[in-house]
């Protein structure tokens, strides 16, 4: 019997546990170590922050579904991974040993890298559900006392979609509250141009997003390095191609929400061979760590090099479709190893994204993620808003029911008709294992 442990029960970790449960026989044990017993759907956080959702609407209690699917849950959280000893020390001192480990711990938020940054200081966040609930209180204050707003991302950030989403959602919520006319808005980003998204743009994301910002009266500053937040002011330097400061900005704000740079969580950071200098997990094309071959990783915690040099550092995003493809490949590779074979499944790492604007949105598909691409497509319309709600409902239902079916693949294949994006399927899995997959 093999014991597979998944560390982290977020978007990647939960479906990882389900796919493993689908693939491995009952004789194998699957455990999940998480902080708490609840799953919260991160992509809904921008809606939570303007009061369109509450905590219950975007959360799932994992205990009953894990019990049903025979997955053990350790909700204490991990203090430290010990890859040499093949074990994890939990926060209460308990030790969980594993044969195979999948790290799915998502991001640690590097607010401390900029003075005055983060929900403990001057700015709001939508990265975690608790942050989004606090941001909602700040939103109510803004409606009661309208003033300037700054939205965006700081240097080293990799998650730009939610920054744009939140700017447009906030614009819509402020219009609904009839105070938008008293709220000047500025979008501040390290991207070299609007719509770069850490991907050098996808289709016409530059044109689409610039046009949306213009139509909604949102000014923007690109190539921005945020120096500090102080007493309701954002101080930023606009960096030129040669690295010099082209312009200094002092933006007063009544409300600010900026995406931080990400890094690996403390439980894994600084482990020689396991992580890069920012604490992201090193992985080969099979999602397997080269130094510790029984350790795999999926999701935001995986180390991916930046796309190329930009005046201000910009990271590459890790989005749902890509994470699903990492999960499927990892499940197959662990199943192969357990069956005495070598890993062969390689994730597609394509980017398929829905960015909601509250009453519309843009969708894009990048295959491969890094240009030049075979598929480089973007589009906009009200259907994106509807599709995003569909994504939320479908994903939460999937988590509640314990199913591992990939959503983004369905979207890409059935709605967008992009056959080329097909990820490794359960049929491929059956072939790998030489048996019928449950
Ligand atoms: P997470 O979902 O963050 O899960 C990590 C889990 O690990 C958490 O449950 C956490 O508690 C747990 N954990 C961390 N440390 C420990 C520890 N020491 N011990 C135990 N457990 C631990 N992508 C899209 O494709 N579409 C979107 O619309 C979209 N919207 C986004 C909106 C926001 C605001 C953000 C921040 C990201 C968004 N993303 C979106 C990007 C990405 O899909 C999500 O961030 C996704 O949640 C990442 O999944 P993950 O499993 O890597 O990490």
């Amino acid at each position: 019997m093999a014991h597979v442990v998944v560390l982290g029960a977020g978007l990647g970790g939960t479906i990882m546990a389900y796919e493993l449960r689908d693939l491995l026989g009952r004789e194998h044990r699957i455990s999940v170590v998480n902080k708490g017993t609840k799953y919260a759907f991160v992509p809904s956080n921008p809606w939570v922050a303007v009061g369109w959702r509450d905590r219950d609407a975007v959360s799932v209690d994992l205990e009953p579904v894990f019990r049903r699917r025979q997955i053990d849950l350790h909700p204490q959280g991990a203090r430290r991974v010990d890859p040499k000893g093949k074990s994890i020390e939990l926060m209460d001192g308990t030790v969980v040993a594993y044969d195979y480990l999948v790290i799915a711990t998502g991001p640690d938020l590097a607010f401390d890298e900029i003075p005055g940054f983060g929900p403990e200081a001057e700015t709001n966040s939508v990265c975690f559900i608790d942050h989004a609930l606090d941001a909602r209180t700040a939103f109510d204050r803004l409606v009661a006392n309208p003033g300037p707003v700054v939205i965006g991302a700081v240097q080293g950030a990799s998650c730009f979609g939610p920054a744009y989403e939140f700017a447009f959602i906030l614009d819509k919520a402020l219009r609904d509250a009839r105070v938008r006319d008293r709220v000047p808005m500025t979008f501040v980003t390290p991207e070299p141009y609007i719509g770069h998204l850490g991907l050098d743009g996808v289709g016409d994301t530059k044109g689409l997003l610039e046009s949306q910002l213009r139509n909604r009266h949102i000014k923007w500053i690109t190539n921005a390095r945020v120096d500090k937040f102080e007493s309701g002011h954002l101080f930023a330097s606009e960096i030129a191609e040669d690295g010099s400061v082209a312009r200094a900005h002092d933006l007063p704000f009544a409300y600010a929400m900026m995406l931080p740079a990400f890094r690996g969580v403390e439980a894994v950071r600084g482990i020689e061979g396991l992580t890069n200098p920012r604490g992201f997990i090193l992985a080969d094309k099979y999602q397997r760590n080269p130094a510790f071959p029984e350790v795999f990783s999926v999701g935001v915690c995986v180390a991916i090099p930046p796309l190329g040099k930009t005046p201000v550092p910009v990271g590459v995003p890790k989005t749902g479709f890509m994470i699903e493809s990492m999960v499927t490949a990892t499940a197959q590779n662990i199943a192969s190893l357990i069956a005495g074979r070598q890993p062969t499944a390689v994730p597609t790492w394509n980017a398929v994204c829905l960015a909601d604007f509250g009453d519309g949105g843009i969708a894009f598909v990048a295959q491969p993620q890094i240009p030049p691409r075979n598929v480089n497509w973007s589009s906009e319309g009200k259907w994106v808003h509807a599709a995003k709600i569909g994504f939320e409902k479908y994903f939460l239902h999937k988590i509640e029911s314990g199913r591992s079916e990939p959503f983004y693949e369905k979207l890409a294949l059935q709605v967008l008709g992009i056959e080329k994006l097909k990820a490794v399927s359960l049929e491929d899995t059956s072939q790998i294992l030489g048996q019928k997959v449950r």
Side-chain angles (χ1 to χ4, degrees):
M1 182 195 77
H3 184 202
V4 186
V5 175
V6 179
L7 178 53
L11 190 140
T14 41
I15 56 174
M16 187 72 244
Y18 298 162
E19 283 214 27
L20 284 165
R21 189 28 95 218
D22 283 345
L23 222 48
L24 304 179
R26 296 282 169 195
E27 67 274 22
H28 300 295
R29 216 174 121 206
I30 297 165
S31 304
V32 172
V33 175
N34 191 46
K35 282 184 178 164
T37 57
K38 291 258 164 54
Y39 168 79
F41 186 63
V42 172
S44 297
N45 287 352
W47 292 337
V48 172
V50 294
W52 294 352
R53 296 286 186 280
D54 60 19
R55 186 195 291 274
D56 286 349
V58 299
S59 304
V60 174
D61 182 3
L62 293 172
E63 278 181 318
V65 50
F66 276 20
R67 208 176 306 120
R68 220 170 46 241
R69 299 241 47 204
Q70 292 175 292
I71 297 165
D72 294 334
L73 177 61
H74 300 271
Q76 302 94 316
R79 180 174 292 138
R80 198 72 177 156
V81 171
D82 173 11
K84 284 193 185 130
K86 294 212 260 176
S87 65
I88 304 171
E89 187 198 346
L90 306 190
M91 289 298 185
D92 64 357
T94 322
V95 173
V96 176
Y98 61 81
D99 298 304
Y100 297 98
L101 171 65
V102 185
I103 300 176
T105 39
D108 184 55
L109 311 175
F111 289 121
D112 55 315
E113 291 175 348
I114 299 174
F117 190 21
E120 306 284 311
E122 301 248 341
T123 64
N124 295 289
S125 163
V126 294
C127 288
F128 298 156
I129 178 84
D130 290 336
H131 293 171
L133 287 162
D134 289 346
R136 199 250 148 108
T137 309
F139 166 74
D140 290 340
R141 277 199 304 269
L142 176 67
V143 171
N145 284 302
V149 160
V150 181
I151 307 290
V154 307
Q155 54 273 24
S158 51
C159 200
F160 296 100
Y164 286 102
E165 277 194 318
F166 190 62
F168 297 130
I169 287 168
L170 186 64
D171 162 71
K172 168 82 167 78
L174 292 168
R175 275 188 282 130
D176 289 349
R178 297 267 175 237
V179 295
R180 180 64 178 87
D181 58 325
R182 281 172 282 158
V183 181
M185 289 179 75
T186 310
F187 190 82
V188 177
T189 178
E191 295 162 281
Y193 57 85
I194 289 298
H196 178 284
L197 301 167
L199 295 167
D200 203 3
V202 183
D204 189 30
T205 48
K206 179 175 190 292
L208 291 173
L209 286 165
E210 279 186 355
S211 154
Q212 284 288 339
L213 289 170
R214 260 193 305 270
N215 283 338
R216 292 166 189 249
H217 307 285
I218 302 173
K219 295 196 167 100
W220 68 79
I221 300 169
T222 53
N223 286 314
R225 185 192 69 208
V226 176
D227 300 316
K228 62 177 177 181
F229 300 87
E230 199 175 82
S231 312
H233 288 249
L234 178 156
F235 295 93
S237 305
E238 207 175 312
I239 306 297
E241 281 291 329
D242 64 1
S244 62
V245 175
R247 215 171 140 198
H249 296 270
D250 170 357
L251 301 174
F253 61 83
Y255 180 105
M257 197 300 294
M258 301 283 288
L259 265 292
F262 291 166
R263 63 187 169 209
V265 303
E266 250 183 71
V268 297
R269 220 181 296 153
I271 299 177
E272 180 78 37
L274 185 71
T275 57
N276 74 5
R278 274 196 80 79
F280 291 111
I281 312 292
L282 298 165
D284 65 13
K285 64 177 182 173
Y286 305 114
Q287 299 298 135
R288 193 183 196 189
N289 179 257
F292 303 102
E294 51 292 302
V295 179
F296 289 75
S297 53
V298 299
V300 170
C301 68
V302 178
I304 296 184
L307 194 62
K309 207 165 154 35
T310 45
V312 184
V314 162
V316 174
K318 292 154 212 167
T319 54
F321 186 85
M322 189 183 183
I323 298 174
E324 278 181 354
S325 83
M326 291 180 185
V327 165
T328 302
T330 299
Q332 295 184 358
N333 288 333
I334 291 177
S336 294
L337 285 167
I338 290 173
R341 301 189 189 91
Q342 281 308 301
T344 52
V346 178
T348 55
W349 278 31
N350 299 314
V352 179
C353 237
L354 298 171
D356 172 57
F357 298 166
D359 50 3
I362 68 161
F364 63 81
V365 178
Q367 190 234 15
Q369 169 122 286
I370 309 300
R373 304 189 175 108
N374 295 317
V375 181
N376 188 42
W377 175 89
S378 61
S379 181
E380 67 178 330
K382 286 199 189 307
W383 70 270
V384 181
H385 178 62
K388 186 80 183 230
I389 295 171
F391 171 36
E392 177 198 54
K393 303 283 176 245
Y394 178 89
F395 201 89
L396 286 166
H397 174 69
K398 176 162 120 168
I399 299 297
E400 222 162 8
S401 63
R403 280 162 49 214
S404 64
E405 185 183 43
F407 166 81
Y408 270 106
E409 182 166 330
K410 262 190 151 175
L411 175 79
L413 292 174
Q414 291 174 14
V415 181
L416 306 176
I418 304 174
E419 182 65 25
K420 279 185 223 160
L421 292 175
K422 201 169 178 3
V424 275
S425 67
L426 277 182
E427 286 69 39
D428 300 334
T429 307
S430 299
Q431 277 169 16
I432 291 169
L433 293 176
Q435 64 187 47
K436 180 111 186 76
V437 173
R438 270 164 293 271

